């Protein structure tokens, strides 16, 4: 990857292809979805746990 390529991405003149996004994600140890701007909502610990009284068999 050359700096001119990155400069085009930064200026919005082009975008990386899918293979390049995967490679960048691997190098940065970051999911592609994060590179694309997706955020993961944070919640309180245990917010999704069910208590035994809510479980039905």
């Amino acid at each position: 990857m050359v700096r001119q390529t990155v400069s085009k991405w930064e200026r919005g003149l082009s975008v990386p292809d899918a293979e390049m996004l995967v490679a960048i994600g691997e190098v940065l140890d970051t999911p592609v979805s994060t590179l694309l701007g997706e955020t993961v909502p944070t919640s309180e610990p245990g917010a999704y746990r069910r208590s035994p009284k809510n479980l039905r068999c």
Side-chain angles (χ1 to χ4, degrees):
M1 174 181 352
V2 295
R3 63 186 169 102
Q4 290 87 350
T5 301
V6 175
S7 176
K8 285 182 180 180
W9 297 343
E10 292 172 335
R11 293 181 291 144
L13 300 176
S14 68
V15 294
D17 64 20
E19 290 179 10
M20 183 61 71
L21 281 173
V22 170
I24 293 169
E26 288 175 354
V27 168
L28 298 175
D29 193 27
T30 303
V32 172
S33 59
T34 301
L35 296 175
L36 294 173
E38 181 180 310
T39 58
V40 177
T42 57
S43 63
E44 296 179 27
Y48 295 104
R49 287 189 195 153
R50 291 184 179 181
S51 63
K53 65 182 177 184
N54 291 338
L55 295 177
R56 306 225 190 261
C57 295

